[in-house]
Amino acid sequence: MKIDLSQKIILVTGASRGIGKSIALLLGKSGAKLALNYNRNEEAALAVQKEIGKRAVLFKGNLSNAMEVTSMFASVIEHFGRLDVLVNNAGIALSAPTNQNDVEWVESWLTTMDVNLNAVGLLCKKSIEIFKTQASGGRIINIASRAAFRGETEEYLAYAASKGAVVALTKSIAKSFGKYGIKSFVVAPGFVLTDMAKPFIEAYGKEKTLDATALDEATLPEHLAPLVAFIASGNMDHATGTTIDINGGSYLH
Ligand code: NAP
């Protein structure tokens, strides 16, 4: 089946690197018009845009700041006039062990929530406002994590908590706005080889990470992008509210 997204306008957050980059490139290849958000890595974002061509437009915005979230979203709507799919991909994983001092621990907790949950919630709200005005509704794809279901190590309590909340948020949107033609999905990756995963590889080694899955190869960003394209195409609309796990069968271990 060929996925044709040529009629779709899609916002992807955190599109400069890792999973977001891979999603952007595949959506671009499938013909979508793309609003690509990035934060610090402008050069990397420009390279992604260049590879896709003029269908992709960059929107800088630090999602840890609610004002930047709303102004970035307003710029996207001003530029494209509408939105069909929101992909909330940007995320951070800050290490904050419980023996850290309270001030630093709380700072990590709040920053994690700002990026991984608060921005996601706000972008969902802003997208729902737009989707409700469109006969075609819209789709939301939130990238959560295996950590939402299986928990994380003690340094990443905030990360796991933020992703668990994203799952509940996504289900609530599916339940509340389905009658407006709005569908909402969670994609929950396990361990994926990106910059975010580097500290885990350094701490536990690649072999040990692979041992925790059913496959003999690590999950790459390219293993996630096709699912996002498929959901964006509308072929999974009747699965709204669900989570699709991409974790190399790690739940079987
Ligand atoms: P990554 O390689 O570290 O890339 C993170 C992306 O998010 C970058 O494009 C970065 O933009 C953007 N970003 C970070 N903070 C931001 C902010 N404040 N405002 C705007 N953008 C921001 O991460 P990844 O591994 O691709 O992760 C993507 C998503 O998958 C995240 O939600 C993550 O939690 C989830 N996930 C990853 C794994 C894994 O093992 N890698 C597993 C489960 C779930 P700049 O580079 O421009 O700053």
Side-chain angles (χ1 to χ4, degrees):
M1 181 194 295
K2 189 176 181 306
I3 305 269
D4 176 10
L5 300 176
S6 57
Q7 300 308 310
K8 303 272 186 270
I9 292 162
I10 304 180
L11 167 58
V12 182
T13 67
S16 50
R17 292 182 290 125
I19 294 168
K21 172 183 173 180
S22 190
I23 290 171
L25 292 178
L26 187 63
L27 296 180
K29 267 192 204 141
S30 308
K33 292 192 181 70
L34 293 170
L36 303 180
N37 159 256
Y38 68 99
N39 182 27
R40 291 192 180 137
N41 285 292
E42 184 156 64
E43 220 172 283
L46 280 165
V48 175
Q49 181 195 32
K50 194 171 169 207
E51 201 170 329
I52 297 168
K54 55 179 189 285
R55 284 196 315 281
V57 181
L58 296 183
F59 294 87
K60 184 172 167 54
N62 180 353
L63 302 184
S64 70
N65 178 323
M67 296 296 282
E68 286 198 35
V69 174
T70 49
S71 68
M72 186 274 291
F73 188 85
S75 305
V76 171
I77 298 304
E78 190 177 79
H79 183 89
F80 287 104
R82 60 170 230 270
L83 184 71
D84 298 298
V85 184
L86 165 68
V87 183
N88 274 311
N89 163 78
I92 53 172
L94 302 178
S95 174
T98 48
N99 62 6
Q100 202 172 37
N101 74 64
D102 291 352
V103 173
E104 285 176 12
W105 191 88
V106 168
E107 200 176 306
S108 289
W109 178 278
L110 294 176
T111 307
T112 301
M113 292 302 166
D114 280 341
V115 178
N116 291 8
L117 176 60
N118 300 344
V120 172
L122 186 50
L123 285 172
C124 286
K125 176 194 183 286
K126 300 304 294 174
S127 299
I128 289 164
E129 285 169 5
I130 298 292
F131 293 163
K132 281 171 94 173
T133 68
Q134 301 176 165
S136 54
R139 297 183 185 92
I140 292 170
I141 304 168
N142 288 330
I143 310 296
S145 169
R146 179 185 191 275
F149 303 93
R150 293 296 168 107
E152 256 305 342
T153 54
E154 69 118 358
E155 307 96 299
Y156 295 98
L157 297 182
Y159 180 80
S162 69
K163 295 298 186 178
V166 165
V167 174
L169 167 74
T170 311
K171 287 182 185 178
S172 303
I173 291 168
K175 182 173 171 144
S176 304
F177 299 103
K179 300 280 192 243
Y180 294 89
I182 298 169
K183 293 95 185 176
S184 181
F185 307 83
V186 171
V187 174
F191 190 80
V192 186
L193 290 188
T194 66
D195 292 342
M196 184 182 278
K198 273 183 189 155
F200 296 87
I201 296 177
E202 277 159 20
Y204 302 106
K206 207 166 159 185
E207 287 307 310
K208 194 146 184 238
T209 320
L210 256 187
D211 278 354
T213 74
L215 300 179
D216 64 352
E217 57 173 15
T219 303
L220 303 174
E222 293 72 28
H223 294 126
L224 280 118
L227 173 64
V228 174
F230 193 64
I231 297 172
S233 73
N235 279 296
M236 280 193 64
D237 279 353
H238 284 250
T240 188
T242 53
T243 297
I244 300 100
D245 303 305
I246 300 199
N247 58 35
S250 73
Y251 286 174
L252 309 173
H253 277 249

